[in-house]
Amino acid sequence: MPLFPTERSVRTTPEGLLWEPSDRWVRGRKGEVTVVDSRHPVLVWEPDIPVPCYTFPREEVRTDLLQPARNPTPGRHTGSQIFYDLLTGGEVLENAAWTFPAADLAGHISFEWFWRRGSGLDHWYEEEEEIFIHPRDPHKRVDALPSSRHVRVEIDGTVVADTRRPVLLFETGLPTRYYLPREDVRLDLFEPTDHSTGCPYKGTAEYWTWRGEGEVPRNILWSYPDPLAPAAAVKGLLAFYNEAVDITLDGERLQRPRTPFSDTLTPSRTR
């Protein structure tokens, strides 16, 4: 018997979907109604979408709450043609569910998650833990490691942070993020905003915007006041978008990375 698996369990369909059975018990609720209760979920990765979704055996879905979509959106979700509206609590949630065209996934139904505003279920659970934003990718890691490396951050030549006690967060597919103690950040140069984001690995983040001059993206600084367990070490620490600031690590200026966030960082002001 081999000590290590010789191949991954991820499979590919002719449509370009990747899929993998999961052993997790997954439930999805709309209000107080459990719409999905599945012990045989399947993770699906669509082309050009970096995060997975779940699809479920039809018999583990409350299909009595579904009806053919009144205004379907054919072609969405890798060519899917069959969409459903969800009827519960007197509310109609349009195109809340669909079936993938792949033969491998016949007999399965997928649902939008609530990160697509107004189109998904309210709550999702894996075992007894509530999951946010999208399913966690079993092939993705998040490691938050305390360090003694010297990190200096500048914005337009102004030093806004300098520390030798960062926490380095390594997340598959993203640049290393440097989380810094508040005492080592010039927080007086920033103002809090009402912006927030959610991450299934780290939790909900709060943000600050640069007060100074120049074309600096809004919400360039963030913190997780109550992070999820995988990122517990960054609790209350502050991090900058590497894509928009100058970071010097142990005396070496780092090149600004190009990531999916690069195109979403918009300037806050020009003075």
Side-chain angles (χ1 to χ4, degrees):
M1 179 177 180
L3 294 176
F4 302 100
T6 56
E7 61 183 57
R8 288 175 57 177
S9 56
V10 176
R11 305 162 201 180
T12 306
T13 76
E15 296 79 10
L17 297 166
L18 303 178
W19 64 277
E20 177 180 52
S22 173
D23 292 330
R24 303 188 184 201
W25 174 29
V26 178
R27 282 101 67 219
R29 288 170 40 194
K30 181 64 179 175
E32 297 301 316
V33 178
T34 298
V35 180
V36 177
D37 188 335
S38 177
R39 287 170 170 78
H40 307 91
V42 174
L43 281 165
V44 180
W45 290 262
E46 295 188 62
D48 302 321
I49 298 180
V51 299
C53 67
Y54 274 121
T55 193
F56 307 98
R58 181 176 289 270
E59 59 270 20
E60 297 180 340
V61 171
R62 284 284 306 273
T63 54
D64 59 303
L65 302 176
L66 300 178
Q67 68 176 20
R70 292 181 298 183
N71 301 296
T73 54
R76 279 185 64 194
H77 296 298
T78 318
S80 298
Q81 299 295 315
I82 300 175
F83 288 80
Y84 300 95
D85 294 340
L86 174 67
L87 285 70
T88 178
E91 179 183 0
V92 177
L93 204 59
E94 290 195 348
N95 297 305
W98 75 93
T99 63
F100 283 113
D104 289 357
L105 302 175
H108 288 67
I109 297 176
S110 302
F111 285 82
E112 298 285 5
W113 281 54
F114 57 77
W115 66 275
R116 296 184 186 274
R117 293 188 180 183
S119 62
L121 303 187
D122 296 330
H123 301 279
W124 288 97
Y125 300 87
E126 292 179 349
E127 302 300 332
E128 298 303 327
E129 183 177 355
E130 186 168 7
I131 303 301
F132 302 95
I133 310 303
H134 61 77
R136 294 172 180 168
D137 189 328
H139 304 289
K140 186 171 187 175
R141 285 186 61 113
V142 174
D143 296 301
L145 305 179
S147 176
S148 59
R149 303 185 74 173
H150 184 196
V151 178
R152 188 175 74 244
V153 182
E154 299 175 53
I155 294 179
D156 286 344
T158 299
V159 176
V160 296
D162 194 315
T163 190
R164 293 182 181 272
R165 46 182 186 152
V167 171
L168 274 57
L169 190 136
F170 302 92
E171 185 172 355
T172 305
L174 289 175
T176 303
R177 300 299 190 190
Y178 301 92
Y179 283 80
L180 317 174
R182 293 190 178 219
E183 311 89 89
D184 298 337
V185 177
R186 288 285 310 276
L187 201 53
D188 60 301
L189 299 177
F190 301 85
E191 58 187 21
T193 73
D194 59 3
H195 182 62
S196 67
T197 59
C199 171
Y201 309 100
K202 299 186 291 292
T204 301
E206 57 187 10
Y207 285 79
W208 289 260
T209 283
W210 171 243
R211 292 180 184 269
E213 298 180 352
E215 294 189 7
V216 179
R218 288 188 55 80
N219 303 308
I220 198 172
L221 177 65
W222 74 86
S223 179
Y224 288 94
D226 189 22
L228 300 175
V234 306
K235 180 180 176 68
L237 303 183
L238 297 162
F240 293 85
Y241 277 107
N242 312 38
E243 297 88 339
V245 300
D246 295 314
I247 296 179
T248 301
L249 179 64
D250 294 335
E252 178 183 353
R253 176 68 62 89
L254 301 182
Q255 185 175 359
R256 294 187 184 185
R258 183 75 184 172
T259 75
F261 295 104
S262 299
D263 295 331
T264 66
L265 296 171
T266 56
S268 58
R269 69 191 75 180
T270 300
R271 292 181 180 172

